[in-house]
Amino acid sequence: MERLDVIGNISRDLTRYPDHRGGAQLGGAALFVSLAATKAGRRATPVCVLGDDLDQLPETPGLDALDWSARLRSAGPSTTFDLEYDPQGELAKVRSDYGVAEALTEHALGHVSSYPHATYHVCCRRPLDVAAVLERLARTAADFSVDFFLPSAEAMIRTAAPWLPAAATVFVNAAEYRLLDRVIGCGTLPEVVVTDGPRAAVVRVFGRQVASAVPPLHAVHEVSGAGDTLAGTFLAHRSRAETTARALAEATAAAARYVAEPSLPMPAPRRG
């Protein structure tokens, strides 16, 4: 099975909820998508930039199953996110410090040049220059999928729009879907996976719904990373030529399990 190369951030996160859930944890879309794909049986590598504070991740139990060959180690702090959620579990406020991830675009473009025929997933989030990366992928006719992050989704969707018809799959939540439809018209897109929290997720092919799945009910511990978990799981199952309906059912189940599990803890600092 071909490897999935996931372009995006790996970060140190702080999540905050009104009921005092949350805390410091590992985060970043590149980590969650890669980890979910790996758990679902597909080899995956985060194409990311790690600072000194996270350079021990490849040896961390539970993360050592990932292919870390596409990471770039850089002196300085890794990306940090402070994520504040409202009582409905919707993201209300984000504070970011990108740190060494400012070098992500250059690293990603170099990786695509070295592996032009790989299969990619692009996490369309700052500080990545999404236009530069998607233009390179489209020019090389690479197989790629994309997702977005609601606080920056409108700007990123507009930036990505010229290349989205070339994407195999676009992952969005319900609010992002409305933005996407206004900007480009979802009937022009080969496959869009739309999530809606605890409500049914659907897959639309050129605007026509072809699959639907309601996530199983689980107590919610942490929502940050749930959409990334769904995306990685879906891509892994589709890569085995499973039906869209089966892939979506597996993906929603994986996301539901994820929100009920303990968050990924920050690794202990490397000694010496």
Side-chain angles (χ1 to χ4, degrees):
M1 187 184 303
E2 189 172 12
R3 187 179 74 181
L4 179 65
D5 292 14
V6 184
I7 298 174
N9 297 318
I10 293 182
S11 56
R12 301 169 63 94
D13 289 359
L14 178 63
T15 61
R16 307 170 189 265
Y17 295 87
D19 60 1
H20 307 296
R21 283 181 294 125
Q25 61 188 60
L26 275 175
L31 177 63
F32 290 130
V33 173
S34 299
L35 194 58
T38 299
K39 288 180 177 179
R42 183 174 188 180
R43 183 175 165 225
T45 183
V47 182
C48 64
V49 184
L50 296 181
D52 302 314
D53 48 353
L54 293 181
D55 68 353
Q56 70 274 47
L57 289 189
E59 294 84 41
T60 300
L63 303 180
D64 48 3
L66 294 181
D67 178 345
W68 289 97
S69 61
R71 81 190 189 281
L72 173 67
R73 296 173 61 179
S74 183
S78 299
T79 303
T80 60
F81 289 105
D82 188 329
L83 306 166
E84 186 173 333
Y85 292 87
D86 66 17
Q88 289 72 47
E90 301 293 334
L91 190 59
K93 190 181 298 183
V94 181
R95 290 172 287 275
S96 310
D97 185 343
Y98 299 117
V100 297
E102 295 288 358
L104 177 59
T105 299
E106 182 180 0
H107 174 52
L109 291 173
H111 184 82
V112 173
S113 294
S114 298
Y115 303 95
H117 304 300
T119 298
Y120 288 92
H121 180 75
V122 183
C123 307
C124 296
R125 293 151 165 81
R126 299 184 178 106
L128 185 69
D129 185 339
V130 169
V133 171
L134 295 185
E135 190 277 334
R136 181 73 58 85
L137 290 172
R139 179 153 45 90
T140 59
D143 181 10
F144 70 94
S145 55
V146 302
D147 68 32
F148 298 95
F149 181 47
L150 186 56
S152 61
E154 184 166 9
M156 287 293 184
I157 288 170
R158 292 187 184 280
T159 298
W163 300 282
L164 292 182
T169 309
V170 177
F171 294 90
V172 288
N173 65 24
E176 293 162 352
Y177 181 81
R178 292 189 288 272
L179 292 170
L180 183 68
D181 201 37
R182 287 204 300 268
V183 170
I184 191 171
C186 293
T188 66
L189 302 178
E191 184 173 72
V192 182
V193 178
V194 188
T195 60
D196 195 11
R199 292 164 288 279
V202 301
V203 180
R204 301 184 186 278
V205 173
F206 294 111
R208 182 175 63 88
Q209 183 173 315
V210 298
S212 175
V214 177
L217 289 176
H218 286 283
V220 175
H221 171 74
E222 178 61 73
V223 301
S224 179
D228 305 317
T229 299
L230 184 145
T233 307
F234 183 87
L235 292 170
H237 283 274
R238 288 295 284 146
S239 70
R240 296 196 289 270
E242 292 183 11
T243 67
T244 303
R246 171 66 185 276
L248 186 64
E250 293 288 347
T252 54
R257 289 193 299 271
Y258 168 85
V259 301
E261 294 171 352
S263 306
L264 289 176
M266 295 301 305
R270 190 191 297 275
R271 295 183 178 180

